Amino acid sequence: MKVGRNICFLTGTLNAMAGAERMTATVANALAELGHTVTILSLFDAGSCFALHPSIHHEALFAQRPSFKRAYLATVAGIRRHCLVRNIDVLVQVDTMLALFVLPATIGLGMQHIAWEHCHFDQDLGKAARRGARRLAARWCDQVVVLTERDRQRWIEALRPRSEVVCIPNPLPFPMPAIPAPRLGKQVLAMGRLVAAKGFDVLLRAWQRVSTQVPEWELVIHGEGEERDALTALVDQLGLGGRVRLPGIAHDATLAYAQASAFCLSSRYEGFGLVLIEAMAFGLPIVSTDCETGPRELLTPGQDALVVPTDDADALANALLRVIRQPEEASRLGAEARQKAKAFALDQVGRRWDALVSAPSEAPGTRGTPPSRPAT
């Protein structure tokens, strides 16, 4: 009989509607369902935007986000205390940046240490320390989990890691829909944080051209973020009032997908592109930019999606008009995409995480010691 392990997911916060936080809750729930004892330790804010399995214990080191420079030692001590009190066997840091806290916090504790990378390797999100943290993770963690095979290769080529670099994609965070979206309306859906990386400004410029040719169609962009005011101003500037809506975060994303007739991802870069898998599960025809590590690996151009260059509003408009005006092709793309999405079902991805955290322990005394570099 399999014995579950004591697993801690360490994250910044769960009280934010963002991809890494959503995946933390999703994978933690899956492992709890499989019989592991799971805790989630947030650095700040004990609230959660996401439902957690009843057996999961969630706590936070600080009620509000502190200055981590001033609270560095307290943070390290808090992580170590949690690991000791909860007798943690496996610690999963949900951002490679957390290695700066975790490595000193877990010295000598003999646990399996996994770093989970949600960005792609060539993006540091404006934090130069992220590159140094990745080097630490590649040298001292037992495993580094990345989301795409392309990113796994980048880690290996750039860092020659001592750690094992494992590709486990993000899972579909809800059950595979029993039926595809009916696609009876005239709505193109986009979804994501309202930040420059998502390219919604490019999408709006593309939609200006689309809406002049199919004015009965509507663009709906779900999400919140720092670019809301700029995007709202751009809608007015382009004369798109009444043809574009920005209704905020979709608290029931499945309803948003079920009401759409097509999906567009306009990002300049992606770590993975979870919204693509979600839209594919609903059988929506997809128009996407050709981002290096997410869409380029998830999509097959012309087979299950139409793919265009990044930052090209004209190409985006042409592809959107194609799925709108050619319903038979749109249906074919959506059906192929739905078939592919089945490989990302939570039970399948959950089993891969289960295998990773259930790996046989190493010989006594070897945990916490950097593994030797493989012979070349």
Side-chain angles (χ1 to χ4, degrees):
M1 180 177 178
K2 181 179 129 179
V3 177
R5 306 190 78 192
N6 295 335
I7 303 169
C8 173
F9 286 83
L10 176 68
T11 186
T13 180
L14 279 186
N15 214 10
M17 289 293 291
E21 290 77 8
R22 189 179 190 188
M23 285 297 99
T24 299
T26 300
V27 172
N29 287 344
L31 291 176
E33 189 67 30
L34 289 169
H36 297 283
T37 300
V38 179
T39 67
I40 299 176
L41 178 62
S42 293
L43 294 187
F44 61 94
D45 193 343
S48 175
C49 289
F50 309 97
L52 298 176
H53 189 280
S55 71
I56 291 179
H57 174 82
H58 177 212
E59 65 181 76
L61 293 180
F62 305 98
Q64 297 178 330
R65 185 186 185 105
S67 163
F68 284 110
K69 288 184 179 179
R70 289 196 292 270
Y72 180 78
L73 292 178
T75 303
V76 169
I79 294 169
R80 187 175 183 87
R81 181 170 58 251
H82 179 91
C83 291
L84 289 169
V85 169
R86 294 283 169 178
N87 194 27
I88 298 301
D89 299 311
V90 184
L91 191 146
V92 182
Q93 60 173 66
V94 184
D95 186 332
T96 47
M97 281 285 285
L98 295 173
L100 301 173
F101 300 113
V102 171
L103 292 176
T106 58
I107 290 173
L109 297 188
M111 65 182 62
Q112 181 181 355
H113 183 185
I114 300 170
W116 191 5
E117 177 65 89
H118 290 269
C119 304
H120 73 75
F121 185 83
D122 295 305
Q123 287 293 333
D124 61 16
L125 301 184
K127 295 182 178 180
R130 187 177 298 279
R131 298 185 184 276
R134 283 176 177 149
R135 291 185 178 277
L136 288 174
R139 182 175 179 84
W140 297 107
C141 293
D142 294 285
Q143 291 91 18
V144 175
V145 173
V146 299
L147 303 179
T148 66
E149 184 59 33
R150 282 177 170 81
D151 218 38
R152 191 180 81 86
Q153 291 300 324
R154 285 291 293 122
W155 273 76
I156 292 171
E157 292 165 3
L159 299 182
R160 293 176 56 81
R162 292 173 180 256
S163 306
E164 179 186 12
V165 184
V166 181
C167 174
I168 304 180
N170 282 335
L172 189 65
F174 46 74
M176 188 75 184
I179 57 173
R183 300 180 49 242
L184 298 177
K186 295 182 178 181
Q187 182 187 105
V188 172
L189 174 67
M191 193 176 296
R193 289 178 299 119
L194 304 185
V195 295
K198 300 301 181 182
F200 292 133
D201 56 323
V202 182
L203 176 55
L204 290 175
R205 296 184 188 283
W207 195 253
Q208 182 186 39
R209 180 178 159 197
V210 171
S211 65
T212 61
Q213 300 188 46
V214 286
E216 70 276 16
W217 279 72
E218 176 187 46
L219 172 64
V220 177
I221 303 174
H222 275 290
E224 279 299 345
E226 62 199 40
E227 293 286 306
R228 168 168 283 281
D229 290 345
L231 293 172
T232 301
L234 185 58
V235 168
D236 293 338
Q237 177 188 330
L238 297 174
L240 292 173
R243 299 178 184 180
V244 173
R245 287 193 294 122
L246 288 86
I249 292 169
H251 293 285
D252 185 353
T254 60
L255 182 60
Y257 291 114
Q259 292 176 338
S261 292
F263 185 84
C264 183
L265 184 139
S266 54
S267 298
R268 293 180 165 96
Y269 62 85
E270 282 286 346
F272 181 71
L274 178 63
V275 290
L276 290 176
I277 301 301
E278 295 176 344
M280 291 162 71
F282 277 90
L284 294 178
I286 290 172
V287 173
S288 174
T289 49
D290 187 26
C291 298
E292 171 68 27
T293 55
R296 194 171 294 180
E297 185 157 324
L298 297 174
L299 303 175
T300 305
Q303 179 175 317
D304 50 42
L306 299 184
V307 180
V308 302
T310 57
D311 275 310
D312 191 333
D314 286 339
L316 201 59
N318 288 337
L320 288 167
L321 286 168
R322 184 170 157 186
V323 297
I324 288 171
R325 288 173 164 169
Q326 300 181 26
E328 290 185 2
E329 181 179 19
S331 295
R332 177 185 62 79
L333 292 171
E336 291 283 350
R338 181 169 159 83
Q339 189 64 30
K340 181 182 282 187
K342 294 177 181 178
F344 298 89
L346 179 56
D347 60 342
Q348 294 195 45
V349 178
R351 284 196 293 271
R352 294 171 68 174
W353 272 98
D354 182 43
L356 183 66
V357 302
S358 302
S361 299
E362 297 178 3
T366 60
R367 280 284 182 221
T369 304
S372 59
R373 186 186 298 277
T376 56

